[in-house]
Amino acid sequence: MSNSPVYDKVALIGVGLIGSSMAHAMRRDGVASRIAGYSHRTETLEKARAIGFADSLHDDVTDCVKDADLVVLATPVGAYAVLAEQIAPHLKPGATVTDVGSVKSAVIRDVGPHVPEGVHFIPAHPIAGTEQSGPEAGFAELFDGRWCILTPLPGTDAAALERLKTFWHRLGSDVEVMDARHHDLVLAITSHLPHLIAYNIVGTADDLQAVTKSEVIKYSAGGFRDFTRIAASDPTMWRDVFLNNREAVLEVLGRFSEDLSALQRAIRWGDGEALFNLFTRTRAIRRSIVDAGQDTAAPNFGRSKKPG
Ligand code: NAP
């Protein structure tokens, strides 16, 4: 594949885990000629400057987007509306505005109205991440072999869409195009609900009176530990995800609560067959995820026996 730049200047609005990983991945394969980054706290800009993944760093978002061919919103989604309004008058005609937010209908609602005529708007969501945040957390391989979902609006310019697809391919991703509402429902079950469950179970364990905090930590390898990894995810980002994907999350949460009640009943009435059947079905799903290359088949997620 050619390593000529897909865009000349790319502006990253937000240089945390996702923004900095995009910068590293762009540099790895010469995807952009110039990378500009914006962050609102000086501390974050200093960290980004020390790592050196951007050609220029700005504390003024309008300076960052000046002359940019691709503008990527990569802050928590709750900040998008204000940022979109600020950058709108400074966007280059013919540029593309995209994002990386974990919800899509709300992004179209908040950003869409601010995008001026002559500028393309193509929302996106890379299905890749970790529980870490900030510029130091980024790495070039984050998107390798992961999906990036694009949710273009009807009438989106075909050439602009192709170019953004090429961009994500060059960052290492496979690309899928989907309707925003469908994206939000799919992600509600595959990502948002699992995070909610993890936040809830870790909170419940923390509140339990009969089991001490030191016992929870000491015996965490019994399953709890894997929830704590997810529950360590960024509070601001996840607050914004739930506030902005309310409908879809409540829909899958309703189904989840019904299924949980059925499990509760099976345990109460000693219905081992119901439990065994469900656990057999779920084991097969795990196998499909490994077969699709979305996780390792190594026992214990490939962790070494002893940490460190
Ligand atoms: P992050 O590491 O916490 O970085 C967030 C960036 O946004 C930082 O540069 C931060 O600046 C900036 N920011 C925060 N609040 C802001 C505000 N009110 N106004 C302007 N800038 C603000 O977050 P991330 O994990 O990269 O997530 C960024 C986006 O990617 C989110 O929309 C999230 O939904 C999406 N996403 C995340 C993951 C994941 O696993 N983390 C995966 C896929 C998509 P300061 O540090 O200067 O405050």
PDB file of all heavy atoms in Angstrom, residues 81-110:
ATOM      1  N   ALA A  81     -20.448  19.799  21.378  1.00  0.00           N
ATOM      2  CA  ALA A  81     -21.304  20.880  20.870  1.00  0.00           C
ATOM      3  C   ALA A  81     -20.583  22.224  20.953  1.00  0.00           C
ATOM      4  O   ALA A  81     -20.546  22.989  19.976  1.00  0.00           O
ATOM      5  CB  ALA A  81     -22.620  20.917  21.642  1.00  0.00           C
ATOM      6  N   VAL A  82     -19.983  22.493  22.124  1.00  0.00           N
ATOM      7  CA  VAL A  82     -19.298  23.773  22.318  1.00  0.00           C
ATOM      8  C   VAL A  82     -18.099  23.878  21.371  1.00  0.00           C
ATOM      9  O   VAL A  82     -17.891  24.909  20.714  1.00  0.00           O
ATOM     10  CB  VAL A  82     -18.835  23.905  23.795  1.00  0.00           C
ATOM     11  CG1 VAL A  82     -17.906  25.075  23.995  1.00  0.00           C
ATOM     12  CG2 VAL A  82     -20.047  24.019  24.712  1.00  0.00           C
ATOM     13  N   LEU A  83     -17.332  22.792  21.256  1.00  0.00           N
ATOM     14  CA  LEU A  83     -16.146  22.803  20.383  1.00  0.00           C
ATOM     15  C   LEU A  83     -16.556  22.997  18.927  1.00  0.00           C
ATOM     16  O   LEU A  83     -15.932  23.771  18.193  1.00  0.00           O
ATOM     17  CB  LEU A  83     -15.356  21.504  20.552  1.00  0.00           C
ATOM     18  CG  LEU A  83     -14.620  21.373  21.891  1.00  0.00           C
ATOM     19  CD1 LEU A  83     -14.182  19.932  22.137  1.00  0.00           C
ATOM     20  CD2 LEU A  83     -13.393  22.303  21.921  1.00  0.00           C
ATOM     21  N   ALA A  84     -17.619  22.305  18.498  1.00  0.00           N
ATOM     22  CA  ALA A  84     -18.072  22.413  17.102  1.00  0.00           C
ATOM     23  C   ALA A  84     -18.483  23.846  16.785  1.00  0.00           C
ATOM     24  O   ALA A  84     -18.163  24.383  15.716  1.00  0.00           O
ATOM     25  CB  ALA A  84     -19.228  21.455  16.857  1.00  0.00           C
ATOM     26  N   GLU A  85     -19.143  24.476  17.731  1.00  0.00           N
ATOM     27  CA  GLU A  85     -19.569  25.867  17.522  1.00  0.00           C
ATOM     28  C   GLU A  85     -18.351  26.783  17.404  1.00  0.00           C
ATOM     29  O   GLU A  85     -18.314  27.676  16.564  1.00  0.00           O
ATOM     30  CB  GLU A  85     -20.463  26.295  18.696  1.00  0.00           C
ATOM     31  CG  GLU A  85     -21.136  27.621  18.446  1.00  0.00           C
ATOM     32  CD  GLU A  85     -22.084  28.016  19.579  1.00  0.00           C
ATOM     33  OE1 GLU A  85     -22.156  27.281  20.597  1.00  0.00           O
ATOM     34  OE2 GLU A  85     -22.734  29.061  19.430  1.00  0.00           O
ATOM     35  N   GLN A  86     -17.327  26.516  18.243  1.00  0.00           N
ATOM     36  CA  GLN A  86     -16.122  27.365  18.218  1.00  0.00           C
ATOM     37  C   GLN A  86     -15.330  27.211  16.922  1.00  0.00           C
ATOM     38  O   GLN A  86     -14.830  28.180  16.372  1.00  0.00           O
ATOM     39  CB  GLN A  86     -15.208  27.003  19.400  1.00  0.00           C
ATOM     40  CG  GLN A  86     -15.740  27.489  20.738  1.00  0.00           C
ATOM     41  CD  GLN A  86     -14.908  26.958  21.910  1.00  0.00           C
ATOM     42  OE1 GLN A  86     -14.116  26.034  21.768  1.00  0.00           O
ATOM     43  NE2 GLN A  86     -15.110  27.540  23.077  1.00  0.00           N
ATOM     44  N   ILE A  87     -15.220  25.977  16.430  1.00  0.00           N
ATOM     45  CA  ILE A  87     -14.351  25.771  15.250  1.00  0.00           C
ATOM     46  C   ILE A  87     -15.064  26.101  13.933  1.00  0.00           C
ATOM     47  O   ILE A  87     -14.386  26.413  12.943  1.00  0.00           O
ATOM     48  CB  ILE A  87     -13.781  24.321  15.179  1.00  0.00           C
ATOM     49  CG1 ILE A  87     -14.898  23.260  15.043  1.00  0.00           C
ATOM     50  CG2 ILE A  87     -12.888  24.046  16.361  1.00  0.00           C
ATOM     51  CD1 ILE A  87     -14.373  21.831  14.811  1.00  0.00           C
ATOM     52  N   ALA A  88     -16.394  26.062  13.936  1.00  0.00           N
ATOM     53  CA  ALA A  88     -17.155  26.171  12.680  1.00  0.00           C
ATOM     54  C   ALA A  88     -16.678  27.300  11.752  1.00  0.00           C
ATOM     55  O   ALA A  88     -16.410  27.053  10.567  1.00  0.00           O
ATOM     56  CB  ALA A  88     -18.645  26.293  12.983  1.00  0.00           C
ATOM     57  N   PRO A  89     -16.535  28.541  12.249  1.00  0.00           N
ATOM     58  CA  PRO A  89     -16.160  29.620  11.319  1.00  0.00           C
ATOM     59  C   PRO A  89     -14.737  29.501  10.794  1.00  0.00           C
ATOM     60  O   PRO A  89     -14.350  30.235   9.880  1.00  0.00           O
ATOM     61  CB  PRO A  89     -16.296  30.889  12.173  1.00  0.00           C
ATOM     62  CG  PRO A  89     -16.930  30.487  13.459  1.00  0.00           C
ATOM     63  CD  PRO A  89     -16.722  29.020  13.620  1.00  0.00           C
ATOM     64  N   HIS A  90     -13.928  28.616  11.372  1.00  0.00           N
ATOM     65  CA  HIS A  90     -12.498  28.535  11.013  1.00  0.00           C
ATOM     66  C   HIS A  90     -12.163  27.313  10.158  1.00  0.00           C
ATOM     67  O   HIS A  90     -10.990  27.049   9.892  1.00  0.00           O
ATOM     68  CB  HIS A  90     -11.656  28.532  12.296  1.00  0.00           C
ATOM     69  CG  HIS A  90     -11.974  29.681  13.199  1.00  0.00           C
ATOM     70  ND1 HIS A  90     -11.394  30.924  13.060  1.00  0.00           N
ATOM     71  CD2 HIS A  90     -12.878  29.799  14.216  1.00  0.00           C
ATOM     72  CE1 HIS A  90     -11.907  31.744  13.964  1.00  0.00           C
ATOM     73  NE2 HIS A  90     -12.813  31.084  14.667  1.00  0.00           N
ATOM     74  N   LEU A  91     -13.192  26.567   9.761  1.00  0.00           N
ATOM     75  CA  LEU A  91     -12.927  25.345   8.989  1.00  0.00           C
ATOM     76  C   LEU A  91     -12.639  25.676   7.534  1.00  0.00           C
ATOM     77  O   LEU A  91     -13.264  26.572   6.947  1.00  0.00           O
ATOM     78  CB  LEU A  91     -14.135  24.399   9.086  1.00  0.00           C
ATOM     79  CG  LEU A  91     -14.408  23.838  10.495  1.00  0.00           C
ATOM     80  CD1 LEU A  91     -15.776  23.162  10.551  1.00  0.00           C
ATOM     81  CD2 LEU A  91     -13.298  22.875  10.920  1.00  0.00           C
ATOM     82  N   LYS A  92     -11.712  24.917   6.968  1.00  0.00           N
ATOM     83  CA  LYS A  92     -11.310  25.137   5.566  1.00  0.00           C
ATOM     84  C   LYS A  92     -12.390  24.552   4.643  1.00  0.00           C
ATOM     85  O   LYS A  92     -12.836  23.413   4.880  1.00  0.00           O
ATOM     86  CB  LYS A  92      -9.977  24.408   5.375  1.00  0.00           C
ATOM     87  CG  LYS A  92      -9.402  24.430   4.002  1.00  0.00           C
ATOM     88  CD  LYS A  92      -8.000  23.823   4.104  1.00  0.00           C
ATOM     89  CE  LYS A  92      -7.580  23.160   2.825  1.00  0.00           C
ATOM     90  NZ  LYS A  92      -6.220  22.601   2.915  1.00  0.00           N
ATOM     91  N   PRO A  93     -12.796  25.272   3.608  1.00  0.00           N
ATOM     92  CA  PRO A  93     -13.772  24.693   2.676  1.00  0.00           C
ATOM     93  C   PRO A  93     -13.226  23.385   2.089  1.00  0.00           C
ATOM     94  O   PRO A  93     -12.038  23.294   1.754  1.00  0.00           O
ATOM     95  CB  PRO A  93     -13.912  25.769   1.595  1.00  0.00           C
ATOM     96  CG  PRO A  93     -13.454  27.035   2.257  1.00  0.00           C
ATOM     97  CD  PRO A  93     -12.417  26.639   3.267  1.00  0.00           C
ATOM     98  N   GLY A  94     -14.073  22.369   2.016  1.00  0.00           N
ATOM     99  CA  GLY A  94     -13.651  21.070   1.476  1.00  0.00           C
ATOM    100  C   GLY A  94     -13.076  20.134   2.525  1.00  0.00           C
ATOM    101  O   GLY A  94     -12.804  18.963   2.247  1.00  0.00           O
ATOM    102  N   ALA A  95     -12.868  20.656   3.759  1.00  0.00           N
ATOM    103  CA  ALA A  95     -12.317  19.818   4.836  1.00  0.00           C
ATOM    104  C   ALA A  95     -13.369  18.803   5.292  1.00  0.00           C
ATOM    105  O   ALA A  95     -14.560  18.935   4.972  1.00  0.00           O
ATOM    106  CB  ALA A  95     -11.912  20.694   6.018  1.00  0.00           C
ATOM    107  N   THR A  96     -12.903  17.792   6.032  1.00  0.00           N
ATOM    108  CA  THR A  96     -13.819  16.812   6.635  1.00  0.00           C
ATOM    109  C   THR A  96     -13.725  16.943   8.148  1.00  0.00           C
ATOM    110  O   THR A  96     -12.623  16.996   8.705  1.00  0.00           O
ATOM    111  CB  THR A  96     -13.448  15.376   6.202  1.00  0.00           C
ATOM    112  OG1 THR A  96     -13.701  15.252   4.802  1.00  0.00           O
ATOM    113  CG2 THR A  96     -14.274  14.331   6.949  1.00  0.00           C
ATOM    114  N   VAL A  97     -14.894  16.995   8.790  1.00  0.00           N
ATOM    115  CA  VAL A  97     -14.954  16.940  10.255  1.00  0.00           C
ATOM    116  C   VAL A  97     -15.426  15.544  10.615  1.00  0.00           C
ATOM    117  O   VAL A  97     -16.421  15.055  10.080  1.00  0.00           O
ATOM    118  CB  VAL A  97     -15.951  17.982  10.817  1.00  0.00           C
ATOM    119  CG1 VAL A  97     -16.146  17.791  12.327  1.00  0.00           C
ATOM    120  CG2 VAL A  97     -15.471  19.397  10.538  1.00  0.00           C
ATOM    121  N   THR A  98     -14.679  14.888  11.502  1.00  0.00           N
ATOM    122  CA  THR A  98     -15.079  13.569  11.968  1.00  0.00           C
ATOM    123  C   THR A  98     -14.899  13.537  13.484  1.00  0.00           C
ATOM    124  O   THR A  98     -14.549  14.542  14.102  1.00  0.00           O
ATOM    125  CB  THR A  98     -14.278  12.459  11.247  1.00  0.00           C
ATOM    126  OG1 THR A  98     -14.801  11.181  11.622  1.00  0.00           O
ATOM    127  CG2 THR A  98     -12.800  12.500  11.608  1.00  0.00           C
ATOM    128  N   ASP A  99     -15.153  12.385  14.093  1.00  0.00           N
ATOM    129  CA  ASP A  99     -14.974  12.258  15.538  1.00  0.00           C
ATOM    130  C   ASP A  99     -14.660  10.812  15.865  1.00  0.00           C
ATOM    131  O   ASP A  99     -14.582   9.971  14.959  1.00  0.00           O
ATOM    132  CB  ASP A  99     -16.228  12.740  16.288  1.00  0.00           C
ATOM    133  CG  ASP A  99     -17.320  11.695  16.289  1.00  0.00           C
ATOM    134  OD1 ASP A  99     -17.722  11.256  15.187  1.00  0.00           O
ATOM    135  OD2 ASP A  99     -17.760  11.268  17.372  1.00  0.00           O
ATOM    136  N   VAL A 100     -14.494  10.525  17.159  1.00  0.00           N
ATOM    137  CA  VAL A 100     -14.193   9.156  17.589  1.00  0.00           C
ATOM    138  C   VAL A 100     -15.128   8.732  18.713  1.00  0.00           C
ATOM    139  O   VAL A 100     -14.874   7.753  19.406  1.00  0.00           O
ATOM    140  CB  VAL A 100     -12.728   9.034  18.051  1.00  0.00           C
ATOM    141  CG1 VAL A 100     -11.763   9.270  16.903  1.00  0.00           C
ATOM    142  CG2 VAL A 100     -12.429  10.006  19.204  1.00  0.00           C
ATOM    143  N   GLY A 101     -16.180   9.505  18.935  1.00  0.00           N
ATOM    144  CA  GLY A 101     -17.052   9.312  20.097  1.00  0.00           C
ATOM    145  C   GLY A 101     -17.736   7.949  20.122  1.00  0.00           C
ATOM    146  O   GLY A 101     -18.068   7.387  19.078  1.00  0.00           O
ATOM    147  N   SER A 102     -17.981   7.471  21.351  1.00  0.00           N
ATOM    148  CA  SER A 102     -18.549   6.136  21.539  1.00  0.00           C
ATOM    149  C   SER A 102     -20.054   6.087  21.301  1.00  0.00           C
ATOM    150  O   SER A 102     -20.649   5.018  21.366  1.00  0.00           O
ATOM    151  CB  SER A 102     -18.253   5.668  22.967  1.00  0.00           C
ATOM    152  OG  SER A 102     -16.889   5.845  23.240  1.00  0.00           O
ATOM    153  N   VAL A 103     -20.688   7.237  21.069  1.00  0.00           N
ATOM    154  CA  VAL A 103     -22.111   7.271  20.694  1.00  0.00           C
ATOM    155  C   VAL A 103     -22.198   8.050  19.378  1.00  0.00           C
ATOM    156  O   VAL A 103     -21.325   8.860  19.091  1.00  0.00           O
ATOM    157  CB  VAL A 103     -22.971   7.965  21.777  1.00  0.00           C
ATOM    158  CG1 VAL A 103     -22.826   7.268  23.114  1.00  0.00           C
ATOM    159  CG2 VAL A 103     -22.617   9.425  21.924  1.00  0.00           C
ATOM    160  N   LYS A 104     -23.238   7.810  18.603  1.00  0.00           N
ATOM    161  CA  LYS A 104     -23.254   8.464  17.298  1.00  0.00           C
ATOM    162  C   LYS A 104     -24.487   9.345  17.038  1.00  0.00           C
ATOM    163  O   LYS A 104     -24.348  10.410  16.466  1.00  0.00           O
ATOM    164  CB  LYS A 104     -23.105   7.416  16.164  1.00  0.00           C
ATOM    165  CG  LYS A 104     -21.767   6.702  16.216  1.00  0.00           C
ATOM    166  CD  LYS A 104     -20.588   7.392  15.511  1.00  0.00           C
ATOM    167  CE  LYS A 104     -20.109   8.742  15.889  1.00  0.00           C
ATOM    168  NZ  LYS A 104     -19.083   8.762  16.945  1.00  0.00           N
ATOM    169  N   SER A 105     -25.696   8.940  17.464  1.00  0.00           N
ATOM    170  CA  SER A 105     -26.868   9.781  17.193  1.00  0.00           C
ATOM    171  C   SER A 105     -26.720  11.135  17.887  1.00  0.00           C
ATOM    172  O   SER A 105     -27.006  12.184  17.291  1.00  0.00           O
ATOM    173  CB  SER A 105     -28.151   9.110  17.683  1.00  0.00           C
ATOM    174  OG  SER A 105     -28.300   7.861  17.056  1.00  0.00           O
ATOM    175  N   ALA A 106     -26.273  11.134  19.133  1.00  0.00           N
ATOM    176  CA  ALA A 106     -26.126  12.385  19.883  1.00  0.00           C
ATOM    177  C   ALA A 106     -25.050  13.278  19.263  1.00  0.00           C
ATOM    178  O   ALA A 106     -25.156  14.508  19.299  1.00  0.00           O
ATOM    179  CB  ALA A 106     -25.787  12.087  21.338  1.00  0.00           C
ATOM    180  N   VAL A 107     -24.029  12.667  18.674  1.00  0.00           N
ATOM    181  CA  VAL A 107     -22.968  13.453  18.032  1.00  0.00           C
ATOM    182  C   VAL A 107     -23.530  14.151  16.780  1.00  0.00           C
ATOM    183  O   VAL A 107     -23.248  15.326  16.528  1.00  0.00           O
ATOM    184  CB  VAL A 107     -21.760  12.540  17.691  1.00  0.00           C
ATOM    185  CG1 VAL A 107     -20.793  13.232  16.741  1.00  0.00           C
ATOM    186  CG2 VAL A 107     -21.041  12.117  18.968  1.00  0.00           C
ATOM    187  N   ILE A 108     -24.355  13.416  16.043  1.00  0.00           N
ATOM    188  CA  ILE A 108     -24.974  14.020  14.849  1.00  0.00           C
ATOM    189  C   ILE A 108     -25.873  15.180  15.281  1.00  0.00           C
ATOM    190  O   ILE A 108     -25.855  16.259  14.683  1.00  0.00           O
ATOM    191  CB  ILE A 108     -25.746  12.944  14.049  1.00  0.00           C
ATOM    192  CG1 ILE A 108     -24.737  11.959  13.441  1.00  0.00           C
ATOM    193  CG2 ILE A 108     -26.638  13.582  12.982  1.00  0.00           C
ATOM    194  CD1 ILE A 108     -25.335  10.716  12.817  1.00  0.00           C
ATOM    195  N   ARG A 109     -26.600  14.982  16.377  1.00  0.00           N
ATOM    196  CA  ARG A 109     -27.486  16.035  16.918  1.00  0.00           C
ATOM    197  C   ARG A 109     -26.673  17.256  17.365  1.00  0.00           C
ATOM    198  O   ARG A 109     -27.059  18.388  17.088  1.00  0.00           O
ATOM    199  CB  ARG A 109     -28.251  15.438  18.123  1.00  0.00           C
ATOM    200  CG  ARG A 109     -29.165  16.403  18.855  1.00  0.00           C
ATOM    201  CD  ARG A 109     -29.493  15.873  20.255  1.00  0.00           C
ATOM    202  NE  ARG A 109     -28.304  15.842  21.111  1.00  0.00           N
ATOM    203  CZ  ARG A 109     -28.167  15.084  22.199  1.00  0.00           C
ATOM    204  NH1 ARG A 109     -29.127  14.264  22.566  1.00  0.00           N
ATOM    205  NH2 ARG A 109     -27.059  15.126  22.940  1.00  0.00           N
ATOM    206  N   ASP A 110     -25.542  17.032  18.040  1.00  0.00           N
ATOM    207  CA  ASP A 110     -24.784  18.136  18.646  1.00  0.00           C
ATOM    208  C   ASP A 110     -23.829  18.840  17.695  1.00  0.00           C
ATOM    209  O   ASP A 110     -23.586  20.032  17.828  1.00  0.00           O
ATOM    210  CB  ASP A 110     -23.954  17.611  19.841  1.00  0.00           C
ATOM    211  CG  ASP A 110     -24.828  17.218  21.012  1.00  0.00           C
ATOM    212  OD1 ASP A 110     -26.044  17.495  20.970  1.00  0.00           O
ATOM    213  OD2 ASP A 110     -24.299  16.613  21.969  1.00  0.00           O
TER     214      ASP A 110
END
